[in-house]
Amino acid sequence: MSSPTTTHLWLREETKPMEHRAALSPEVCKKLLATGKYEITVEECKERIFNDSEYADVGCRMVAGDSWRQAPKDAIITGLKELPENDTTPLPHTHIMFAHCYKRQAGWKDVLSRFVEGKGLLYDLEFLNDDSGRRVAAFGFYAGFTGAAVGIDAWCHQQLHAGEKYPVITPYPNEDVLISETKAKLEKAGRMPRIMVMGALGRCGSGAVSYARKAGIPEENIIKWDMAETAKGGPFQEIMDVDIFVNCIYLSSQIPPFVTQEQIDGDRQLSVIVDVSCDTTNPFNPIPIYNVNTTFDDALLDIKSTNPKPLQLCSIDHLPTMLPREASNQFSIDLLPTLLQLPERSTAPVWTRAEKLFHEKVASMATTD
């Protein structure tokens, strides 16, 4: 157990397949430990982009992977993605993670019930907001950045290897390698695609636009839409007129669909959709032509259509792990100021709001089907 004067963070091993990112980088751990107010335990993890030695070298205590269930009760279990599947045991700890259960996603009550039964607490990373309502840290930029990369690459694959299965996606050492690969494929494809980014003014959308530009796609081929363009309400024929559609919106309430089955059955140029937002099981999903997430092993879903032109959709929900070191470093540094407030979490607004929201979501289980 940590001393009464320190806050104990326990970085757990990520168990989601192909997840290489980390919620805490070694650099950020070093900064936290330097304050003398933190104790940091790190689970060993072969998949994490940072070597275990990088954490040990800055003073973190290393323990076996997947040992957080035996952690002291005052340890704050910190991770990125959801906890291992097929586990319904009560959760007595405080957890910091993306739980994906506050927008009524599939199984949301099951997740929250585990905290209720264990008398634990969830600080959901998606809902750590500053006083203006903006998220204090997000992977949004790199989600859009890598989402556009997959979209362009999938389109190139359709042009160069029609009918062949799209290959497995593996992480890249840095963005320069990824961009060079995209440029080479675009040159072989013989023409530049038209790409529409929905939510282009946000973190995620700006990442998608940035990648399209760095890949060499002309500005006139990058169609940037945000709230002003979508104010008239969908569905939008303009999406059918591009080659690649990248959805980067933040869905907070029900909106008309962006695309419909009737549209994709009709005339269209569109052949690739990347749903970076991944509101797959959300009842308000604005792309209601699919309902499953894809994976790095099987990245593209063939969408059924009476139009013989192929239409493939990517709905990987952790795209930034394609560039795990850069994405993790940026996220951790953005999160650091909020982590530094953890010792005062009973009064620090970011943390008190997150705790209040947790209790509100728990209470809503009784009134929601």
Side-chain angles (χ1 to χ4, degrees), residues 242-264:
V242 299
D243 297 291
I244 305 163
F245 172 53
V246 184
N247 179 40
C248 296
I249 71 158
Y250 182 79
L251 184 66
S252 58
S253 60
Q254 185 172 10
I255 58 174
F258 292 155
V259 300
T260 65
Q261 188 67 43
E262 182 181 5
Q263 281 184 307
I264 65 173

Side-chain angles (χ1 to χ4, degrees), residues 139-351:
F139 283 101
F141 181 86
Y142 276 105
F145 194 84
T146 51
V150 171
I152 297 167
D153 192 70
W155 179 84
C156 289
H157 188 80
Q158 291 174 344
Q159 313 311 305
L160 301 170
H161 308 285
E164 294 182 18
K165 183 174 174 59
Y166 188 70
V168 171
I169 299 173
T170 55
Y172 288 78
N174 57 65
E175 66 179 59
D176 291 340
V177 174
L178 178 60
I179 292 166
S180 295
E181 183 179 292
T182 300
K183 284 183 173 180
K185 290 181 179 180
L186 281 170
E187 185 174 352
K188 289 181 180 178
R191 75 173 179 92
M192 287 290 179
R194 296 182 73 236
I195 179 170
M196 174 186 278
V197 177
M198 190 74 82
L201 298 181
R203 275 179 174 141
C204 183
S206 65
V209 171
S210 174
Y211 193 85
R213 288 170 174 160
K214 288 187 175 184
I217 293 180
E219 197 68 26
E220 61 269 22
N221 282 29
I222 307 172
I223 294 85
K224 300 174 281 291
W225 274 33
D226 210 272
M227 293 180 71
E229 291 79 9
T230 59
K232 62 183 179 181
F236 302 107
Q237 177 57 39
E238 291 89 341
I239 295 174
M240 299 299 111
D241 298 336
V242 299
D243 297 291
I244 305 163
F245 172 53
V246 184
N247 179 40
C248 296
I249 71 158
Y250 182 79
L251 184 66
S252 58
S253 60
Q254 185 172 10
I255 58 174
F258 292 155
V259 300
T260 65
Q261 188 67 43
E262 182 181 5
Q263 281 184 307
I264 65 173
D265 285 341
D267 292 337
R268 57 177 165 81
Q269 181 66 23
L270 183 71
S271 64
V272 176
I273 296 174
V274 181
D275 191 5
V276 181
S277 301
C278 278
D279 289 298
T280 311
T281 62
N282 190 311
F284 305 144
N285 181 7
I287 307 177
I289 56 174
Y290 82 106
N291 58 9
V292 296
N293 284 116
T294 60
T295 65
F296 286 106
D297 289 333
D298 195 7
L300 300 180
L301 182 69
D302 291 314
I303 301 298
K304 293 181 180 179
S305 170
T306 57
N307 183 333
K309 183 183 179 72
L311 178 60
Q312 295 178 300
L313 183 145
C314 172
S315 56
I316 297 171
D317 65 0
H318 57 139
L319 281 165
T321 200
M322 283 178 63
L323 293 171
R325 185 171 288 270
E326 288 144 313
S328 297
N329 277 328
Q330 182 187 47
F331 181 85
S332 298
I333 290 170
D334 289 348
L335 187 61
L336 178 60
T338 302
L339 292 173
L340 288 169
Q341 297 173 15
L342 263 175
E344 294 79 41
R345 59 187 176 278
S346 62
T347 56
V350 172
W351 296 109

Side-chain angles (χ1 to χ4, degrees), residues 101-122:
C101 64
Y102 280 5
K103 294 190 285 186
R104 302 182 187 178
Q105 294 97 324
W108 70 281
K109 288 186 179 182
D110 297 330
V111 175
L112 289 177
S113 293
R114 295 179 66 190
F115 285 96
V116 174
E117 292 169 12
K119 298 182 180 179
L121 173 64
L122 169 64

Side-chain angles (χ1 to χ4, degrees), residues 31-48:
K31 291 178 184 296
L32 289 170
L33 291 169
T35 68
K37 297 180 179 180
Y38 297 83
E39 174 187 345
I40 302 178
T41 299
V42 176
E43 293 186 357
E44 296 168 348
C45 179
K46 293 181 180 178
E47 292 297 312
R48 191 185 292 130

Side-chain angles (χ1 to χ4, degrees), residues 82-113:
E82 307 93 324
L83 297 172
E85 295 181 354
N86 304 316
D87 185 350
T88 59
T89 55
L91 297 172
H93 293 93
T94 293
H95 285 254
I96 298 175
M97 64 175 172
F98 289 103
H100 301 297
C101 64
Y102 280 5
K103 294 190 285 186
R104 302 182 187 178
Q105 294 97 324
W108 70 281
K109 288 186 179 182
D110 297 330
V111 175
L112 289 177
S113 293

